[in-house]
Short mmCIF file of all heavy atoms in Angstrom, two decimals:
data_model
loop_
_atom_site.label_atom_id
_atom_site.label_comp_id
_atom_site.label_asym_id
_atom_site.label_seq_id
_atom_site.Cartn_x
_atom_site.Cartn_y
_atom_site.Cartn_z
N HIS A 51 -56.80 109.39 -60.08
CA HIS A 51 -55.42 109.34 -59.54
C HIS A 51 -54.43 109.99 -60.52
O HIS A 51 -54.33 109.56 -61.68
CB HIS A 51 -54.95 107.90 -59.41
CG HIS A 51 -55.80 107.10 -58.52
ND1 HIS A 51 -55.59 107.12 -57.07
CD2 HIS A 51 -56.76 106.26 -58.64
CE1 HIS A 51 -56.51 106.32 -56.58
NE2 HIS A 51 -57.19 105.82 -57.42
N PRO A 52 -53.81 111.05 -60.12
CA PRO A 52 -52.61 111.48 -61.01
C PRO A 52 -51.40 110.55 -60.85
O PRO A 52 -51.18 110.04 -59.86
CB PRO A 52 -52.34 112.90 -60.39
CG PRO A 52 -52.77 112.76 -58.93
CD PRO A 52 -53.95 111.82 -58.84
N TRP A 53 -50.75 110.45 -62.09
CA TRP A 53 -49.59 109.59 -62.00
C TRP A 53 -48.41 110.25 -62.53
O TRP A 53 -48.48 111.28 -63.26
CB TRP A 53 -49.95 108.43 -63.05
CG TRP A 53 -50.96 107.48 -62.63
CD1 TRP A 53 -52.42 107.79 -62.64
CD2 TRP A 53 -50.94 106.29 -61.83
NE1 TRP A 53 -53.16 106.76 -62.17
CE2 TRP A 53 -52.21 105.88 -61.62
CE3 TRP A 53 -49.83 105.55 -61.41
CZ2 TRP A 53 -52.52 104.68 -61.02
CZ3 TRP A 53 -50.01 104.37 -60.74
CH2 TRP A 53 -51.45 103.91 -60.45
N SER A 54 -47.20 109.74 -62.22
CA SER A 54 -46.02 110.28 -62.56
C SER A 54 -45.30 109.27 -63.35
O SER A 54 -45.26 108.02 -62.94
CB SER A 54 -45.17 110.66 -61.26
OG SER A 54 -43.88 111.05 -61.56
N PHE A 55 -44.49 109.71 -64.29
CA PHE A 55 -43.67 108.70 -65.11
C PHE A 55 -42.29 109.03 -64.88
O PHE A 55 -41.93 110.21 -64.95
CB PHE A 55 -43.99 108.90 -66.61
CG PHE A 55 -45.46 108.50 -66.91
CD1 PHE A 55 -46.58 109.38 -66.89
CD2 PHE A 55 -45.72 107.23 -67.51
CE1 PHE A 55 -47.77 109.07 -67.08
CE2 PHE A 55 -47.04 106.96 -67.86
CZ PHE A 55 -48.12 107.83 -67.60
N ASP A 56 -41.39 108.10 -64.70
CA ASP A 56 -40.04 108.31 -64.53
C ASP A 56 -39.24 107.98 -65.89
O ASP A 56 -39.87 107.59 -66.86
CB ASP A 56 -39.40 107.49 -63.39
CG ASP A 56 -39.20 105.97 -63.69
OD1 ASP A 56 -39.47 105.53 -64.80
OD2 ASP A 56 -38.80 105.21 -62.79
N TYR A 57 -37.98 108.33 -65.95
CA TYR A 57 -37.26 108.31 -67.23
C TYR A 57 -37.12 106.86 -67.78
O TYR A 57 -36.80 106.59 -68.93
CB TYR A 57 -35.81 108.89 -66.95
CG TYR A 57 -34.99 108.07 -66.13
CD1 TYR A 57 -34.01 107.07 -66.61
CD2 TYR A 57 -34.96 108.20 -64.72
CE1 TYR A 57 -33.21 106.36 -65.75
CE2 TYR A 57 -34.10 107.48 -63.82
CZ TYR A 57 -33.26 106.47 -64.36
OH TYR A 57 -32.61 105.89 -63.57
N ARG A 58 -37.40 105.75 -66.90
CA ARG A 58 -37.33 104.35 -67.34
C ARG A 58 -38.66 104.00 -67.87
O ARG A 58 -38.74 102.75 -68.24
CB ARG A 58 -36.91 103.45 -66.14
CG ARG A 58 -35.51 103.83 -65.70
CD ARG A 58 -35.28 103.16 -64.34
NE ARG A 58 -36.19 103.80 -63.37
CZ ARG A 58 -36.22 103.65 -62.11
NH1 ARG A 58 -35.31 102.81 -61.54
NH2 ARG A 58 -37.08 104.27 -61.32
N GLY A 59 -39.70 104.73 -67.87
CA GLY A 59 -41.01 104.32 -68.27
C GLY A 59 -41.93 103.76 -67.17
O GLY A 59 -42.98 103.27 -67.49
N ARG A 60 -41.37 103.84 -65.97
CA ARG A 60 -42.21 103.31 -64.87
C ARG A 60 -43.29 104.31 -64.47
O ARG A 60 -43.01 105.55 -64.54
CB ARG A 60 -41.42 102.96 -63.67
CG ARG A 60 -40.41 101.72 -63.99
CD ARG A 60 -39.60 101.35 -62.92
NE ARG A 60 -38.71 100.22 -63.20
CZ ARG A 60 -37.74 99.88 -62.53
NH1 ARG A 60 -37.45 100.50 -61.32
NH2 ARG A 60 -37.07 98.86 -62.76
N VAL A 61 -44.38 103.85 -64.00
CA VAL A 61 -45.52 104.77 -63.62
C VAL A 61 -45.86 104.68 -62.06
O VAL A 61 -45.89 103.52 -61.55
CB VAL A 61 -46.71 104.41 -64.36
CG1 VAL A 61 -47.82 105.37 -64.07
CG2 VAL A 61 -46.52 104.29 -65.87
N TYR A 62 -45.98 105.81 -61.39
CA TYR A 62 -46.16 105.80 -60.02
C TYR A 62 -47.39 106.72 -59.66
O TYR A 62 -47.47 107.81 -60.25
CB TYR A 62 -44.92 106.30 -59.19
CG TYR A 62 -43.79 105.45 -59.41
CD1 TYR A 62 -42.79 105.86 -60.36
CD2 TYR A 62 -43.54 104.23 -58.83
CE1 TYR A 62 -41.57 105.02 -60.60
CE2 TYR A 62 -42.35 103.55 -59.00
CZ TYR A 62 -41.43 103.89 -59.91
OH TYR A 62 -40.37 103.15 -60.17
N PRO A 63 -48.27 106.37 -58.72
CA PRO A 63 -49.30 107.37 -58.38
C PRO A 63 -48.65 108.43 -57.52
O PRO A 63 -47.70 108.24 -56.75
CB PRO A 63 -50.18 106.43 -57.54
CG PRO A 63 -49.42 105.34 -57.05
CD PRO A 63 -48.32 105.17 -58.08
N ILE A 64 -49.18 109.63 -57.83
CA ILE A 64 -48.58 110.80 -57.12
C ILE A 64 -49.04 110.83 -55.56
O ILE A 64 -48.16 111.05 -54.64
CB ILE A 64 -48.81 112.16 -57.80
CG1 ILE A 64 -48.13 112.20 -59.16
CG2 ILE A 64 -48.46 113.37 -56.91
CD1 ILE A 64 -48.32 113.19 -60.00
N PRO A 65 -50.31 110.60 -55.21
CA PRO A 65 -50.70 110.74 -53.81
C PRO A 65 -50.09 109.43 -53.14
O PRO A 65 -49.75 108.39 -53.75
CB PRO A 65 -52.29 110.47 -53.99
CG PRO A 65 -52.71 110.77 -55.37
CD PRO A 65 -51.44 110.45 -56.20
N SER A 66 -50.10 109.62 -51.80
CA SER A 66 -49.49 108.51 -51.16
C SER A 66 -50.64 107.48 -50.42
O SER A 66 -50.21 106.47 -49.99
CB SER A 66 -48.60 109.06 -50.00
OG SER A 66 -49.44 109.84 -49.09
N VAL A 67 -51.88 107.93 -50.48
CA VAL A 67 -52.90 107.15 -50.02
C VAL A 67 -54.04 106.93 -50.95
O VAL A 67 -54.19 107.68 -51.81
CB VAL A 67 -53.58 107.64 -48.60
CG1 VAL A 67 -52.44 107.58 -47.58
CG2 VAL A 67 -54.08 108.99 -48.89
N LEU A 68 -54.77 105.80 -50.84
CA LEU A 68 -55.92 105.48 -51.67
C LEU A 68 -55.49 105.30 -53.18
O LEU A 68 -56.11 106.02 -54.04
CB LEU A 68 -57.10 106.56 -51.59
CG LEU A 68 -57.91 106.48 -50.25
CD1 LEU A 68 -58.96 107.48 -50.36
CD2 LEU A 68 -58.45 105.16 -50.00
N THR A 69 -54.36 104.56 -53.39
CA THR A 69 -53.92 104.35 -54.66
C THR A 69 -53.85 102.84 -54.86
O THR A 69 -53.80 102.07 -53.93
CB THR A 69 -52.68 104.98 -54.94
OG1 THR A 69 -51.58 104.26 -54.10
CG2 THR A 69 -52.55 106.43 -54.51
N PRO A 70 -53.60 102.40 -56.15
CA PRO A 70 -53.48 100.96 -56.45
C PRO A 70 -52.17 100.45 -55.84
O PRO A 70 -51.87 99.30 -55.89
CB PRO A 70 -53.53 100.92 -57.97
CG PRO A 70 -54.29 102.08 -58.41
CD PRO A 70 -53.89 103.24 -57.42
N GLN A 71 -51.35 101.41 -55.43
CA GLN A 71 -50.03 100.83 -54.86
C GLN A 71 -49.94 101.15 -53.38
O GLN A 71 -48.85 101.25 -52.70
CB GLN A 71 -48.90 101.59 -55.57
CG GLN A 71 -48.68 101.17 -56.92
CD GLN A 71 -47.44 101.70 -57.71
OE1 GLN A 71 -46.83 102.64 -57.16
NE2 GLN A 71 -47.05 101.22 -58.77
N ASP A 72 -51.16 101.27 -52.69
CA ASP A 72 -51.27 101.55 -51.29
C ASP A 72 -51.00 100.31 -50.54
O ASP A 72 -50.70 99.27 -51.07
CB ASP A 72 -52.62 102.10 -51.03
CG ASP A 72 -52.72 102.99 -49.79
OD1 ASP A 72 -51.83 102.91 -48.96
OD2 ASP A 72 -53.75 103.81 -49.64
N THR A 73 -51.26 100.41 -49.26
CA THR A 73 -51.22 99.23 -48.25
C THR A 73 -52.50 98.32 -48.65
O THR A 73 -53.30 98.65 -49.35
CB THR A 73 -51.32 99.67 -46.89
OG1 THR A 73 -52.51 100.36 -46.65
CG2 THR A 73 -50.09 100.57 -46.41
N ASP A 74 -52.37 97.20 -48.04
CA ASP A 74 -53.47 96.15 -48.18
C ASP A 74 -54.86 96.99 -47.78
O ASP A 74 -55.86 96.81 -48.55
CB ASP A 74 -53.24 95.07 -47.24
CG ASP A 74 -54.38 94.10 -47.18
OD1 ASP A 74 -54.95 93.60 -48.22
OD2 ASP A 74 -54.86 93.68 -46.04
N PHE A 75 -54.87 97.58 -46.72
CA PHE A 75 -56.14 98.30 -46.27
C PHE A 75 -56.50 99.36 -47.32
O PHE A 75 -57.69 99.49 -47.77
CB PHE A 75 -55.90 98.98 -44.97
CG PHE A 75 -57.06 99.73 -44.44
CD1 PHE A 75 -58.31 99.12 -44.18
CD2 PHE A 75 -56.99 101.10 -44.16
CE1 PHE A 75 -59.38 99.79 -43.65
CE2 PHE A 75 -58.06 101.72 -43.65
CZ PHE A 75 -59.30 101.21 -43.46
N GLY A 76 -55.49 100.23 -47.72
CA GLY A 76 -55.84 101.29 -48.73
C GLY A 76 -56.37 100.82 -50.05
O GLY A 76 -57.36 101.24 -50.66
N LYS A 77 -55.73 99.64 -50.61
CA LYS A 77 -56.16 99.09 -51.74
C LYS A 77 -57.59 98.48 -51.66
O LYS A 77 -58.34 98.48 -52.69
CB LYS A 77 -55.23 98.02 -52.29
CG LYS A 77 -53.90 98.54 -52.78
CD LYS A 77 -53.08 97.32 -53.42
CE LYS A 77 -51.90 97.19 -52.50
NZ LYS A 77 -50.96 96.12 -53.11
N SER A 78 -57.90 97.96 -50.45
CA SER A 78 -59.21 97.32 -50.37
C SER A 78 -60.43 98.26 -50.42
O SER A 78 -61.54 97.89 -50.62
CB SER A 78 -59.22 96.60 -49.04
OG SER A 78 -59.31 97.45 -47.91
N LEU A 79 -60.08 99.58 -50.22
CA LEU A 79 -61.22 100.64 -50.35
C LEU A 79 -61.46 101.06 -51.71
O LEU A 79 -62.52 101.72 -51.90
CB LEU A 79 -60.73 101.77 -49.39
CG LEU A 79 -60.47 101.42 -48.00
CD1 LEU A 79 -59.93 102.65 -47.24
CD2 LEU A 79 -61.83 101.04 -47.27
N LEU A 80 -60.64 100.78 -52.68
CA LEU A 80 -60.91 101.28 -54.00
C LEU A 80 -61.79 100.38 -54.76
O LEU A 80 -61.72 99.19 -54.83
CB LEU A 80 -59.56 101.34 -54.74
CG LEU A 80 -58.48 102.23 -54.05
CD1 LEU A 80 -57.03 102.20 -54.92
CD2 LEU A 80 -58.99 103.73 -54.18
N LYS A 81 -62.63 101.11 -55.60
CA LYS A 81 -63.57 100.39 -56.61
C LYS A 81 -63.54 101.25 -57.86
O LYS A 81 -63.29 102.53 -57.75
CB LYS A 81 -64.90 100.26 -56.01
CG LYS A 81 -65.11 99.21 -55.01
CD LYS A 81 -66.60 99.03 -54.74
CE LYS A 81 -66.79 97.88 -53.72
NZ LYS A 81 -68.19 97.52 -53.66
N PHE A 82 -63.69 100.52 -58.99
CA PHE A 82 -63.78 101.32 -60.15
C PHE A 82 -65.15 102.21 -60.23
O PHE A 82 -66.10 101.58 -59.63
CB PHE A 82 -63.77 100.38 -61.41
CG PHE A 82 -62.42 99.89 -61.72
CD1 PHE A 82 -62.07 98.58 -61.28
CD2 PHE A 82 -61.44 100.68 -62.28
CE1 PHE A 82 -60.86 98.11 -61.54
CE2 PHE A 82 -60.17 100.27 -62.47
CZ PHE A 82 -59.81 98.86 -62.16
N HIS A 83 -65.13 103.20 -60.91
CA HIS A 83 -66.36 103.95 -61.00
C HIS A 83 -67.44 103.32 -61.80
O HIS A 83 -68.63 103.32 -61.34
CB HIS A 83 -66.01 105.36 -61.45
CG HIS A 83 -67.28 106.23 -61.74
ND1 HIS A 83 -68.05 106.70 -60.64
CD2 HIS A 83 -67.73 106.75 -62.89
CE1 HIS A 83 -69.05 107.34 -61.15
NE2 HIS A 83 -68.84 107.51 -62.62
N ARG A 84 -67.10 102.77 -62.96
CA ARG A 84 -68.02 102.22 -63.85
C ARG A 84 -68.01 100.66 -63.60
O ARG A 84 -66.94 100.04 -63.46
CB ARG A 84 -67.61 102.50 -65.36
CG ARG A 84 -67.93 103.98 -65.66
CD ARG A 84 -67.84 104.17 -67.12
NE ARG A 84 -66.42 104.06 -67.58
CZ ARG A 84 -65.56 105.09 -67.72
NH1 ARG A 84 -66.02 106.30 -67.64
NH2 ARG A 84 -64.54 104.87 -68.24
N GLU A 85 -69.15 100.20 -63.64
CA GLU A 85 -69.33 98.71 -63.57
C GLU A 85 -68.90 98.02 -64.78
O GLU A 85 -68.85 98.63 -65.82
CB GLU A 85 -70.72 98.27 -63.17
CG GLU A 85 -71.24 98.83 -61.82
CD GLU A 85 -72.60 98.37 -61.74
OE1 GLU A 85 -73.40 98.07 -62.60
OE2 GLU A 85 -73.23 98.60 -60.55
N ALA A 86 -68.42 96.76 -64.61
CA ALA A 86 -68.01 95.95 -65.88
C ALA A 86 -68.97 94.88 -66.11
O ALA A 86 -69.64 94.40 -65.14
CB ALA A 86 -66.57 95.39 -65.72
N LEU A 87 -69.06 94.46 -67.37
CA LEU A 87 -69.84 93.33 -67.65
C LEU A 87 -69.45 92.04 -67.02
O LEU A 87 -68.13 91.76 -67.13
CB LEU A 87 -69.94 93.18 -69.21
CG LEU A 87 -70.66 91.95 -69.85
CD1 LEU A 87 -72.16 92.05 -69.54
CD2 LEU A 87 -70.45 91.82 -71.19
N MET A 88 -70.26 91.24 -66.38
CA MET A 88 -69.88 90.08 -65.79
C MET A 88 -70.17 89.00 -66.73
O MET A 88 -71.22 88.48 -66.96
CB MET A 88 -70.56 89.84 -64.46
CG MET A 88 -70.21 90.66 -63.27
SD MET A 88 -68.47 90.55 -62.91
CE MET A 88 -68.24 88.83 -62.25
#
Side-chain angles (χ1 to χ4, degrees):
H51 297 279
W53 294 83
S54 172
F55 296 82
D56 72 8
Y57 68 95
R58 298 164 295 189
R60 294 183 181 167
V61 182
Y62 302 98
I64 293 173
S66 61
V67 293
L68 290 182
T69 72
Q71 292 183 348
D72 204 343
T73 62
D74 173 50
F75 178 63
K77 285 188 250 186
S78 73
L79 299 170
L80 297 176
K81 286 189 174 190
F82 287 104
H83 173 63
R84 289 190 293 261
E85 295 176 349
L87 174 66
M88 286 303 293

